[in-house]
Amino acid sequence: MTDILLTNARLIDPEAGTDTPGTVRISGGKIAEISPGHPEGAKQKASATVIDCRGKCLAPGIVDIGVKVCEPGERHKESFKSAGLAAAAGGVTTMVTRPDTLPAIDTPEVLEFVTRRAREASPVRIKPMATLTKAREGREMVEIGFLLDAGAVAFTDGDRVTENTKVLSRAMTYARSLNALVIAHPQEPGLSKGAAVTSGKFASLRGLPAVSPMAERMALDRDMALVEMTGVKYHADQISTARALPALERAKKNGLNVTAGVSIHHLALNELDVGDYRTFFKVKPPLRSEDDRVAMVQAVASGLIDVISSMHTPQDEESKRLPYEEAASGAVALETLLPAALRLVHSGAIALPALWRALSLNPARRLGLDTGRLAVGAPADLVLFDPDAPFVLDRFKLRSKSKNTPFDGARMQGRVLATFVAGTQVFGEL
């Protein structure tokens, strides 16, 4: 395998928190050497392929927790091939896929099918999650041990909240005994059922069914009590309201094994973007107030919220072209995750190394992966991007099968130039 020398790069190191010029040498699918500046000796390696990065940013590939790939059951919405191509184009080198498929990924057999399909079709790494309860019904926990052996990296019922506290506590206790990660969706199910927007003046003016931000706080409080009782490793998939942050902060200060994520849509958009019932802006949980959005950005910058994810949820045109209340929730975001996240950098809210800590380093660490780092010996999963390149998003040019993005027609900054997985270029024309 020929060595690759990426020279004249702006190295974004989330571990060291640095943004410095340098050169990276890739050998055998791993990062073999990192040098400051442009070492003269590097050019003399006859066997190396030299790529001049022209001062653009080189960072660890994004590790995206919570990607919905619709195999099995709904390949017309998204397949492993289309999701993999979209991920590569978006700088995502590891997709951590959700188990809310048809059927749900709740047995080793289904998990092995998904893993095999992913390996055959996707140019990027796939790490599958399995359900926490059978068929996501919240009645009986899955065979966590067997699913771990089959390759599950975490356990979640997605946006279906387990209402039976005894079932959830037993599942958490069993997961704790196996050191398995449980990922939950903190929303009080009774209050949030049927809600399309966040309660407030805007919801009242639009006449849409709404949910109070307290529904998130109530569910998180319950989950934190169960984590304290069971000692399980816990990750909240999406925190979206300022009211939930004190509970998260308390849990971390008390030493609980807890992390939290936020979707890119709750960092870049707010409830007013729904405008005149624009269903591409209908996500779960619903978009929040501008105060909540700013609080989420600040929580990411401070490290209170650990992970930024796309929560990529493909929906076909028919399920979105309905009255707002009836339309399906979710948005595709594999290709818009990076430029939307760079809005936080361009606004001065967060620095690039801190952003990459949430996009790459922290999710990899939480899942026990060796990716997400710009370090010698780490897998050469890298993204080269121009943070300032402007463009107008055309949803029909997205590589995802489904085109339900809220950023259609939006002016954005930040383009992926090349993506490498294990040292192999899977996107770009360098």
Side-chain angles (χ1 to χ4, degrees):
M1 185 180 291
T2 305
D3 287 7
I4 299 174
L5 210 60
L6 296 161
T7 67
N8 191 23
R10 181 179 161 193
L11 304 183
I12 310 301
D13 187 342
E15 259 187 318
T18 56
D19 177 351
T20 55
T23 294
V24 171
R25 181 167 64 87
I26 299 171
S27 182
K30 294 184 180 294
I31 297 174
E33 184 182 356
I34 299 175
S35 309
H38 188 135
E40 289 302 317
K43 291 183 180 177
Q44 318 217 340
K45 298 186 182 234
S47 61
T49 299
V50 180
I51 297 173
D52 185 356
C53 298
R54 299 180 182 178
K56 305 307 180 188
C57 295
L58 185 67
I62 296 170
V63 179
D64 192 2
I65 296 180
V67 175
K68 172 82 176 278
V69 179
C70 304
E71 286 191 63
E74 297 177 298
R75 288 189 76 243
H76 67 285
K77 292 184 179 180
E78 194 79 288
S79 66
F80 279 108
K81 182 177 181 180
S82 61
L85 292 173
V92 176
T93 53
T94 300
M95 290 192 292
V96 184
T97 55
R98 302 196 324 244
D100 52 341
T101 50
L102 296 174
I105 302 173
D106 58 1
T107 65
E109 292 77 18
V110 178
L111 182 63
E112 286 167 2
F113 164 80
V114 165
T115 304
R116 186 171 63 253
R117 283 287 302 136
R119 192 182 302 120
E120 293 169 354
S122 172
V124 305
R125 300 182 196 267
I126 305 285
K127 299 294 181 182
M129 296 188 282
T131 63
L132 186 64
T133 64
K134 292 183 178 179
R136 302 170 60 226
E137 291 178 348
R139 297 177 182 174
E140 184 182 357
M141 69 177 173
V142 297
E143 293 284 359
I144 295 176
F146 290 154
L147 285 159
L148 276 174
D149 291 342
V153 295
F155 296 84
T156 179
D157 282 343
D159 59 10
R160 285 194 191 172
V161 178
T162 303
E163 297 185 45
N164 189 317
T165 309
K166 183 168 282 190
V167 170
L168 182 56
S169 66
R170 285 174 175 168
M172 284 181 164
T173 300
Y174 196 65
R176 167 68 180 87
S177 71
L178 295 171
N179 197 33
L181 175 65
V182 170
I183 297 182
H185 182 73
Q187 286 294 312
E188 203 290 316
L191 287 174
S192 58
K193 185 177 181 180
V197 290
T198 301
S199 59
K201 183 178 179 181
F202 179 81
S204 299
L205 289 171
R206 290 294 181 268
L208 292 169
V211 60
S212 167
M214 286 300 291
E216 185 169 285
R217 153 88 177 276
M218 292 165 67
L220 190 62
D221 278 336
R222 180 196 74 155
D223 285 0
M224 292 305 94
L226 288 170
V227 171
E228 185 175 353
M229 183 173 80
T230 63
V232 73
K233 285 197 302 186
Y234 174 98
H235 178 76
D237 65 352
Q238 295 183 78
I239 300 296
S240 60
T241 67
R243 289 178 182 269
L245 294 177
L248 177 62
E249 189 171 14
R250 275 196 311 274
K252 288 191 170 189
K253 283 183 177 177
N254 290 337
L256 301 185
N257 196 344
V258 170
T259 53
V262 62
S263 90
I264 188 58
H265 301 114
H266 292 93
L267 293 172
L269 306 168
N270 67 29
E271 61 185 350
L272 301 181
D273 287 304
V274 170
D276 293 326
Y277 310 100
R278 300 165 69 191
T279 59
F280 280 7
F281 289 82
K282 185 180 182 184
V283 294
K284 189 182 290 186
L287 294 176
R288 307 300 192 180
S289 69
E290 176 62 8
D291 287 344
D292 281 327
R293 187 197 71 79
V294 170
M296 295 307 101
V297 173
Q298 292 172 346
V300 170
S302 70
L304 179 57
I305 289 180
D306 308 88
V307 173
I308 299 173
S309 62
S310 69
M311 293 309 293
H312 178 83
T313 305
Q315 300 288 3
D316 52 28
E317 296 288 313
E318 290 76 13
S319 63
K320 279 291 188 181
R321 296 201 179 281
L322 293 169
Y324 195 91
E325 186 176 343
E326 300 172 22
S329 296
V332 294
L334 284 167
E335 290 174 79
T336 56
L337 173 57
L338 188 146
L342 286 173
R343 288 181 173 184
L344 310 181
V345 175
H346 295 309
S347 68
I350 191 168
L352 271 173
L355 178 64
W356 241 259
R357 203 160 50 235
L359 285 172
S360 190
L361 179 64
N362 287 345
R365 280 180 171 172
R366 193 54 170 154
L367 295 166
L369 308 178
D370 56 357
T371 57
R373 299 179 298 127
L374 200 64
V376 173
D381 292 4
L382 302 168
V383 55
L384 178 68
F385 65 99
D386 181 348
D388 302 314
F391 67 100
V392 176
L393 185 78
D394 179 354
R395 71 187 184 101
F396 294 107
K397 292 182 179 178
L398 295 177
R399 290 158 182 82
S400 294
K401 285 188 177 182
S402 296
K403 312 296 182 184
N404 53 306
T405 173
F407 296 109
D408 185 36
R411 296 177 184 273
M412 308 190 85
Q413 269 184 287
R415 276 195 179 279
V416 174
L417 304 176
T419 304
F420 299 86
V421 175
T424 299
Q425 189 172 340
V426 294
F427 175 77
E429 298 179 359
L430 295 178

